[in-house]
Amino acid sequence: MYCLQWLIPVLLVPKPILPALHFNHALFMGLYLVAFFLERKPCTICAAVFIIMLVLMCQNCSSNCAFVTCGPHPSESPHDDVVSQSTQHMSTHLSNL
C-alpha cells in the first residue's frame, strides 16, 4: 500500500471556485494520474483501491470529484425557477378575477 501515499492526496485537492477553471483542473488531474501510472507503475491492489475511491466520489457528485461538475445545467439558473413561479402565481391570480 506504499503506492497510495501518492494517490490519496489527489482526491483531496480542492476544485477551483471559478467554473471557468474546472476544465483546467480536470485536465491537470487527468494528466497527473496518467503520468503517475506510467512512471510509478503502482501495484494492482493500490490502483484498484484508488479507482474505486475515485468512482465512488464522482458517483455521489461530491464536491471533491476532479472530473465531474455536478449541479444545475448552465442554462438553468435558480432565477428561472423564481420567474416561472411568479408567472404561475400571476396567472392564477388573474384567472380568479
Side-chain angles (χ1 to χ4, degrees):
M1 296 286 177
Y2 175 75
C3 317
L4 282 178
Q5 78 177 3
W6 296 102
L7 289 173
I8 297 291
V10 172
L11 298 176
L12 302 175
V13 173
K15 287 175 77 169
I17 295 173
L18 295 174
L21 297 177
H22 286 191
F23 176 75
N24 292 343
H25 178 73
L27 184 66
F28 171 75
M29 289 302 196
L31 290 175
Y32 175 81
L33 289 175
V34 168
F36 177 82
F37 276 92
L38 290 175
E39 181 184 345
R40 299 281 177 143
K41 297 179 181 67
C43 63
T44 307
I45 294 173
C46 292
V49 167
F50 177 76
I51 290 172
I52 288 170
M53 286 189 300
L54 187 66
V55 167
L56 288 176
M57 284 181 68
C58 292
Q59 184 180 16
N60 291 338
C61 287
S62 174
S63 62
N64 288 337
C65 181
F67 302 104
V68 179
T69 303
C70 297
H73 193 270
S75 65
E76 301 172 4
S77 68
H79 177 68
D80 294 340
D81 294 335
V82 172
V83 171
S84 65
Q85 288 175 356
S86 64
T87 305
Q88 289 174 354
H89 180 68
M90 286 177 53
S91 64
T92 57
H93 181 66
L94 290 176
S95 66
N96 290 337
L97 293 176

